[in-house]
Amino acid sequence: GATVNATASNFNIALAGDWTNNGIFTQQAGTVTLTGTANLNGSTATTFNNLTINGTNSTVTVGTSDPTVSGTLTIGGDAAADTDVLSIGAARTVTATGTTTLTDSTDTISGAGTLLFTSTSSGAGTTGTVSSVVRFEATAAKIGTTVVDSRTYGGAVEFYSNVAAVRSITFPTGSFTFSSTFSVITGASQSSVL
């Protein structure tokens, strides 16, 4: 594989085709924007600073890697009439440790894979559709009210912790609709508090 470094100038990258990382990508503080129907693949998991899925009815499918977005994950943004989709393939995980934004009611995060939020995440917000599996990962720290959003969750929702300490997950006020399973998962001899 090759090495791509967005340099200290934090260059942005716009790509209308597939993103395949079989080498090293150093994201710096820029944004990668995927603007067409494409696949996000590779033998190496990519860490993006910011990742945007935004074109004219763009669908990006995560197929053979488990990317992490440490800054902002944005789905949509160009026109309210467009439907931009992040589709997470089965047995794949997209980890969002920063802000996640679905800009329009037509924008979607879907698929049989998992969208994982940590204690540093902002959650998926209340706009658009989230029908993938959503996991709130509390192993490193408790999950506060700014991570779990009052919204409709179309796929399974998991609250997970695998640490000896008690972890809590605090829900904000509002209405929640769980259209599939709702699970609290802990490792052996651990406990979680909702």
Side-chain angles (χ1 to χ4, degrees):
T3 299
V4 174
N5 186 336
T7 79
S9 298
N10 302 315
F11 288 118
N12 295 323
I13 297 171
L15 181 64
D18 292 346
W19 177 280
T20 302
N21 183 4
N22 290 325
I24 299 170
F25 171 67
T26 306
Q27 79 274 13
Q28 303 297 344
T31 298
V32 172
T33 301
L34 302 175
T35 63
T37 297
N39 295 301
L40 201 152
N41 291 316
S43 59
T44 304
T46 302
T47 298
F48 297 98
N49 177 55
N50 300 318
L51 176 63
T52 298
I53 313 298
N54 184 23
T56 303
N57 298 317
S58 295
T59 296
V60 173
T61 302
V62 177
T64 63
S65 67
D66 296 316
T68 297
V69 181
S70 59
T72 302
L73 172 61
T74 304
I75 313 302
D78 59 347
D82 285 345
T83 299
D84 295 310
V85 177
L86 174 63
S87 177
I88 307 169
R92 302 280 40 114
T93 299
V94 174
T95 301
T97 61
T99 302
T100 299
T101 303
L102 288 91
T103 58
D104 301 312
S105 63
T106 58
D107 297 325
T108 301
I109 298 174
S110 64
T114 301
L115 176 62
L116 187 143
F117 294 111
T118 66
S119 61
T120 61
S121 305
S122 70
T126 58
T127 304
T129 300
V130 177
S131 60
S132 66
V133 174
V134 175
R135 174 177 274 198
F136 295 94
E137 170 64 63
T139 297
K142 70 179 184 172
I143 301 292
T145 58
T146 59
V147 179
V148 183
D149 294 305
S150 56
R151 65 168 302 125
T152 296
Y153 293 90
V157 175
E158 303 171 344
F159 293 93
Y160 178 83
S161 176
N162 190 15
V163 66
V166 174
R167 291 289 188 231
S168 63
I169 298 169
T170 306
F171 288 78
T173 53
S175 297
F176 297 83
T177 301
F178 300 102
S179 301
S180 186
T181 59
F182 176 90
S183 303
V184 176
I185 305 167
T186 61
S189 76
Q190 283 83 31
S191 62
S192 292
V193 178
L194 296 177

